[in-house]
Amino acid sequence: MEALPAVFLGLVQGVTEFLPVSSSGHLALFQQLFGIGEAALSYDLLLHFATMLATLVFFGKDVALLLCQWCRGLLSAESRTAEGWTFGWAVIAGTVLTGAIGLSLKPLVERAMTLPWAVGAGLLVTAAVLWYGSSLATDLCGRPVTPARGLVVGIVQGIAVLPGISRSGSTIVAGMKTGLSAPSAFRFSFLLSLPAIFGATLLEMKDLLQVPDWSSTLPAGWAAGTAAAFFSGLVSLAVLRRLVTRGKWRPFAAYCAFVGLLALALFPGR
C-alpha cells in the first residue's frame, strides 16, 4: 500500500469509527471502489490502537473515576452505592456477550467484508436504526447504567461486528431504548467499546507476532495515517456528543441509506 492510501484509510478509520456510519463498512467499500489493497494486519492493528487511544483520551477522567469506584466496591460494601460499582459490572456483562457473539460471527464477518452488497445491506440496517433513534427522547433524566442494560447493549455491540452496521449508532440507540439518557448512552457506548477493542487488538497482535519480520509489512505513511486516525477520532467524538444530545440522527440515517443503496447499485450480486 502506498503512502497516500494509507493516510486516507487512517482518516476514514478515525472519522467513521465514532460517527454512526460504520467504519468497517466504509473501509470495505473504499477498498473495492479505489482498488486499495486490504490493509496489512500490522497497519490495521495500529489504526485500531489509535482510535482506542482517542477514546481513552476523550473519556480519561470518566475511566479513572469509574474504575477507582469499582475497585473500592470490591474492597468495601459501603462503596457499592457509587456509580462506578454498577457501571463496572455493566461493562463486564456487556463485554462478555460482545465477545461471545463477535467470535461466533467472525467467519461470517470475514466473508461479508468481501461482499459490497452485504456491506450495503448492513448500512441500510444502520439507517433504519438511526431513523428510529431520532424518535427516542434525549432528556437528561434517564435511568442509571445497570448490568441488565449492559447485557442488552453488549448483545447489540456483538451483532455490530457485521460490516455496515454502526457500532456507535446501534449501541447508543439501544442504550436509549433501555431508558438511558442520550448523554449517558453515549458515554456507556464508548466505555463499553474499550474492552472489546482492546481484546480484538490482542487477538490481532497474537496473529501478527507469528508473521516473520512483521514491521516490514507496514505501508509507507503509516505514522501519518495512525496520527490521522487518532486526531480525526477525537474530533468525531466531540461532534457526535453534541449531535447525540440534540437527537440529530436523521442526517446520518439518510447518509447511510444513500451509501447502502449506492453499494447495492454499483456492486449487484458481488
Side-chain angles (χ1 to χ4, degrees):
M1 187 186 298
E2 300 298 327
L4 187 58
V7 174
F8 177 71
L9 287 183
L11 280 171
V12 171
Q13 171 71 18
V15 171
T16 60
E17 176 72 18
F18 300 114
L19 295 182
V21 295
S22 177
S23 61
S24 60
H26 277 73
L27 289 173
L29 290 178
F30 279 126
Q31 287 167 0
Q32 292 284 341
L33 282 171
F34 301 111
I36 300 174
E38 185 176 355
L41 180 61
S42 55
Y43 188 50
D44 185 65
L45 187 149
L46 281 177
L47 292 183
H48 281 89
F49 178 79
T51 51
M52 181 177 70
L53 185 60
T55 306
L56 278 171
V57 170
F58 192 87
F59 290 99
K61 291 182 179 179
D62 280 319
V63 171
L65 176 62
L66 294 171
L67 184 58
C68 286
Q69 290 177 346
W70 185 78
C71 290
R72 290 194 195 103
L74 292 175
L75 301 174
S76 170
E78 295 177 355
S79 301
R80 295 174 187 173
T81 56
E83 179 193 18
W85 178 248
T86 53
F87 200 106
W89 286 114
V91 169
I92 292 171
T95 299
V96 170
L97 277 182
T98 293
I101 296 171
L103 288 174
S104 66
L105 290 178
K106 185 177 180 181
L108 181 60
V109 171
E110 292 174 349
R111 176 60 177 152
M113 284 290 288
T114 65
L115 299 173
W117 69 264
V119 176
L123 285 167
L124 292 179
V125 172
T126 294
V129 170
L130 297 180
W131 194 269
Y132 173 73
S134 67
S135 67
L136 298 176
T138 59
D139 61 83
L140 302 180
C141 301
R143 300 173 182 174
V145 174
T146 62
R149 295 188 176 92
L151 287 173
V152 173
V153 180
I155 291 172
V156 173
Q157 180 169 260
I159 297 172
V161 298
L162 293 169
I165 299 181
S166 167
R167 191 213 66 82
S168 61
S170 58
T171 53
I172 293 173
V173 171
M176 292 170 63
K177 181 62 179 176
T178 66
L180 300 180
S181 67
S184 181
F186 169 81
R187 184 176 68 150
F188 182 63
S189 168
F190 286 104
L191 293 182
L192 180 63
S193 76
L194 288 172
I197 296 174
F198 181 69
T201 301
L202 288 180
L203 290 176
E204 287 186 351
M205 186 177 296
K206 178 183 175 182
D207 294 336
L208 181 63
L209 293 177
Q210 297 176 0
V211 178
D213 195 21
W214 61 266
S215 60
S216 64
T217 64
L218 287 169
W222 65 267
T226 303
F230 173 76
F231 288 109
S232 61
L234 284 177
V235 173
S236 297
L237 277 168
V239 170
L240 182 60
R241 180 167 62 182
R242 290 179 62 87
L243 293 175
V244 164
T245 55
R246 298 177 182 179
K248 303 295 185 180
W249 292 104
R250 291 189 176 181
F252 292 111
Y255 172 79
C256 288
F258 171 76
V259 176
L261 292 172
L262 185 63
L264 293 176
L266 293 177
F267 305 102
R270 284 181 54 187

